[in-house]
Amino acid sequence: MNTLIKNVTALLPDGAVSVVNIAVADDRIVSVGETPENFQAEKIIDGTAHFAIPGFVNAHTHASMTLLRSYADDMKLMDWLEQMIWPIEAKLRSDDIYWGAMLAAVEMIRSGTTAFADMYGPDMERVAEVVETSGLRGVLSRGLIGVAPDSEKKLEENAALYKNFHGAANGRITVMFGPHALYTCPPDYLRKIAAKAQELGAEVHIHMSETMGEVENCIKEYGKRPFAHVASTGLFDNGTLAAHCVHLDDEDIDLIKEYHIRVAHNPGSNMKLASGTAPVPRLLEEGICVALGTDGTSSNNNLDMLDEVQLVALLHKVHTLDPLAVPALTAVKMGTEYGAQALSLHDVGRLQVGNKADIVLFSMHGAAWTPCYNPVSLLAYSAKSTSVNTVMVDGRILMENGELKTLDEERILFEAQKVADRLTK
Ligand SMILES: N[C@@H](CCSC[C@H]1O[C@@H](n2cnc3c(=O)[nH]cnc32)[C@H](O)[C@@H]1O)C(=O)O
Ligand SMILES: [Zn+2]
């Protein structure tokens, strides 16, 4: 289908903002600016008084954890995981994973997210089903906790997920391996995952250096800091998306550069779990790809990427006492373009010819957008995601004028609540 978005204020790849027409043929952007004379639009969207950005990319989440939103708050990470989260996750059934991810899809589309990197399990094929139905873009990994007796089986499940779904749904689904963390995966298990990933040509999504305790225990147990330890297993050899990366020293940063590791920074989760402040301005200065994630909704507690854009812009200013740290445009790029890079989505994340048409329109009506000197600043410091009006992925409209086109929202909220009631009964 050919769609023309007319007269829209757009964020261009060089950071400039200008009023353009965006022509979309099937799944790709074919022009930004003047519309080609021979372009036949089947659908025209009036972009007047709308701000177009590449869709948000949530670079680290656990979608089905929407079911555990507000179930356990105000705890330390290890207490939270061991006492509350892991026991209830052990009760999750296949349908629960599905309805949790469906609830996540509603929330993501409504707040302008077009792609997400998910680490969860079991039954990640149910999340793939949600990606297919919702029209979102998903980078899925089967979370691998290697201490239980069924760790081999999980690794096989991740490999099967790769074989069955990598490149599925017109390429909207890609698959990575998902070792949870170095404290839940012994070195032998990390080596096995690395070998399997190498064999299939798959990348890896892992939690790294989230808390001070993780770093201290790693040094105690293995005589090395986390990045050196994990590098020694070969896990970083095939391309890596590393969530958190809060507690880093120079040696860690050198390894992140050496292995071209992309960082998914989760300011909301890091603040809520009091994990610490990642050295984001330094990482950006070093040329490292730093994207943004929400983490799961049990440590955030929502999937709203505009919150993360606003938090990253504010957190690093107060942390460094430098009001120039992480300016508005950088924050927005972290949430969009750098997110796409971090997920290895090479033709996503920029409103430019040839890229996939993953486009979000914000309505610029209302007090939070008035007066409008600088739409990028308004986005980073003033707007709410409730002004997300229209969402397109792969040229397909998932939400138009605030109405979801691919999902039955009422049914999804009902089913998710039903699952939550059963889980906590
Ligand atoms: N339960 C699955 C594996 C899930 S991997 C993803 C795991 O990450 C957990 N998780 C969520 N947020 C965080 C975080 O911030 N740090 C560490 N783990 C987290 C989450 O609760 C979930 O258990 C299985 O073994 O079959
Ligand atoms: Zn996480």
Side-chain angles (χ1 to χ4, degrees):
M1 165 136 145
N2 286 359
T3 306
L4 182 64
I5 307 172
K6 272 179 95 166
N7 207 27
V8 73
T9 304
L11 174 61
L12 303 178
D14 64 358
V17 170
S18 93
V19 177
V20 295
N21 294 339
I22 303 176
V24 173
D26 299 321
D27 56 348
R28 293 198 188 257
I29 298 172
V30 294
S31 76
V32 177
E34 293 295 318
T35 314
E37 262 174 40
N38 58 355
F39 186 78
Q40 299 278 346
E42 287 147 81
K43 183 177 176 69
I44 295 181
I45 295 174
D46 181 9
T48 311
H50 284 76
F51 186 40
I53 65 163
F56 288 128
V57 177
N58 189 342
H60 176 70
T61 191
H62 313 276
S64 305
M65 286 185 87
T66 49
L67 298 171
L68 308 182
R69 193 195 323 263
S70 82
Y71 171 68
D73 291 326
D74 305 334
M75 298 177 75
K76 289 192 169 167
L77 174 69
M78 287 320 294
D79 294 342
W80 174 73
L81 283 173
E82 286 170 6
Q83 294 165 24
M84 299 298 287
I85 299 300
W86 285 337
I88 195 163
E89 283 181 341
K91 297 202 256 172
L92 290 177
R93 302 175 190 162
S94 172
D95 279 351
D96 306 342
I97 303 277
Y98 176 79
W99 289 114
M102 272 293 192
L103 180 58
V106 167
E107 195 179 354
M108 288 193 279
I109 295 170
R110 284 217 163 281
S111 52
T113 289
T114 51
F116 66 108
D118 199 44
M119 176 205 288
Y120 214 58
D123 304 301
M124 282 304 286
E125 58 288 344
R126 301 306 303 277
V127 182
E129 208 179 316
V130 170
V131 173
E132 278 173 346
T133 307
S134 65
L136 284 165
R137 203 178 284 290
V139 179
L140 310 182
S141 53
R142 203 291 186 216
L144 301 168
I145 292 185
V147 283
D150 54 354
S151 57
E152 296 290 329
K153 181 170 158 270
K154 289 178 187 171
L155 182 51
E156 282 313 312
E157 286 172 14
N158 204 149
L161 186 73
Y162 187 88
K163 287 175 194 155
N164 297 332
F165 289 100
H166 187 68
N170 193 36
R172 284 187 292 107
I173 299 177
T174 50
V175 174
M176 294 184 180
F177 278 79
H180 171 261
L182 64 85
Y183 54 89
T184 48
C185 296
D188 263 352
Y189 194 45
L190 291 178
R191 272 189 280 273
K192 279 184 193 157
I193 298 167
K196 203 60 170 166
Q198 174 98 51
E199 180 194 321
L200 295 173
E203 298 195 302
V204 163
H205 180 183
I206 183 172
H207 294 103
M208 285 296 300
S209 301
E210 181 174 7
T211 62
M212 200 101 83
E214 174 186 337
V215 178
E216 285 164 0
N217 288 338
C218 181
I219 294 169
K220 225 185 285 169
E221 203 160 335
Y222 304 113
K224 290 192 186 107
R225 292 181 59 86
F227 278 87
H229 165 64
V230 175
S232 76
T233 69
L235 193 83
F236 293 148
D237 294 351
N238 308 301
T240 306
L241 171 62
H244 298 309
C245 303
V246 174
H247 299 281
L248 305 176
D249 73 357
D250 289 348
E251 177 201 319
D252 296 319
I253 292 174
D254 284 344
L255 288 170
I256 289 174
K257 284 166 74 173
E258 185 183 329
Y259 288 94
H260 304 286
I261 293 168
R262 294 97 55 182
V263 174
H265 173 48
N266 303 267
S269 170
N270 293 164
M271 291 168 82
K272 182 160 181 283
L273 289 165
S275 300
T277 309
V280 167
R282 162 94 191 270
L283 296 177
L284 290 168
E285 258 169 44
E286 300 266 359
I288 293 163
C289 175
V290 188
L292 292 177
T294 56
D295 212 347
T297 59
S298 190
S299 55
N300 187 297
N301 286 359
N302 62 39
L303 297 174
D304 190 330
M305 282 291 293
L306 188 56
D307 282 358
E308 303 306 311
V309 167
Q310 300 180 342
L311 285 174
V312 75
L314 298 179
L315 171 63
H316 299 285
K317 289 175 174 60
V318 70
H319 186 67
T320 57
L321 300 181
D322 176 7
L324 278 60
V326 190
L329 180 60
T330 305
V332 172
K333 286 204 164 225
M334 290 173 77
T336 55
E337 182 178 330
Y338 303 167
Q341 280 168 22
L343 272 54
S344 284
L345 302 172
H346 300 300
D347 48 6
V348 171
R350 293 158 71 101
L351 298 182
Q352 70 184 21
V353 173
N355 263 32
K356 293 281 191 175
D358 293 10
I359 305 171
V360 168
L361 304 186
F362 285 81
S363 162
M364 295 163 82
H365 287 294
W369 285 91
T370 308
C372 184
Y373 304 119
N374 180 341
V376 175
S377 274
L378 290 174
L379 200 58
Y381 298 120
S382 160
K384 297 285 168 220
S385 66
T386 45
S387 57
V388 172
N389 177 273
T390 294
V391 175
M392 177 186 277
V393 175
D394 241 17
R396 179 182 181 197
I397 294 173
L398 311 190
M399 180 166 87
E400 188 171 17
N401 294 323
E403 196 188 308
L404 296 183
K405 295 293 183 188
T406 56
L407 299 177
D408 180 348
E409 183 167 10
E410 217 172 303
R411 162 107 200 267
I412 291 166
L413 299 186
F414 173 80
E415 296 289 350
Q417 184 61 51
K418 216 165 78 179
V419 170
D421 291 345
R422 193 200 84 237
L423 284 173
T424 51
K425 198 169 60 195

